[in-house]
Amino acid sequence: MLWVKAFHVIAVMSWMAGLLYLPRLMVYHVEASIGSEKSETFKIMERRLLKAIMNPAMLVSWVLGLWLAFSQGLFTSGEIWFYLKFLSVIAMTIFHMIFAKHVRLFAADQNEKTGRYYRVLNEGPTVLMIAIVVLVIVKPL
């Protein structure tokens, strides 16, 4: 079980790295002219980050996380910290899907959002990450 935990933490760290980096790329992408070499480079970087790192890391995080939760009986434990953590991971997944949508919009040169929007959007995964770590380590509830 320690190996499962270790790979779960590695996957979560990889997923979080992408969730924190992708919106920063989008902040800079907004400033690039459509069709410019810079814009096309950002499209490649965003697509590769999403497809090669974030999607697999999210999948592994979910699979191993569910494995750990079921093997420890957390879904039936009545532990409030766990349910809040689980809801936070669902929210993190929603952020992932929102970012994936924006990657598709940028790829089609259809972005209509500002750099400020992406800066604010970037705060969601950060807040969720803090909440998840506190819930898992401290188990305040």
Side-chain angles (χ1 to χ4, degrees), residues 62-124:
W62 267 101
V63 168
L64 297 181
L66 288 171
W67 182 353
L68 289 165
F70 279 113
S71 69
Q72 295 174 23
L74 290 172
F75 282 104
T76 57
S77 68
E79 301 268 0
I80 294 177
W81 71 266
F82 172 74
Y83 299 120
L84 291 174
K85 184 242 185 190
F86 190 69
L87 288 173
S88 297
V89 174
I90 291 170
M92 193 81 76
T93 303
I94 292 168
F95 272 100
H96 182 108
M97 293 186 297
I98 291 168
F99 293 160
K101 174 187 171 193
H102 287 298
V103 167
R104 288 190 299 276
L105 290 172
F106 271 114
D109 293 324
Q110 295 177 349
N111 175 60
E112 297 178 355
K113 304 295 184 188
T114 65
R116 187 171 198 280
Y117 168 83
Y118 293 110
R119 283 183 185 93
V120 171
L121 195 62
N122 190 41
E123 300 308 317

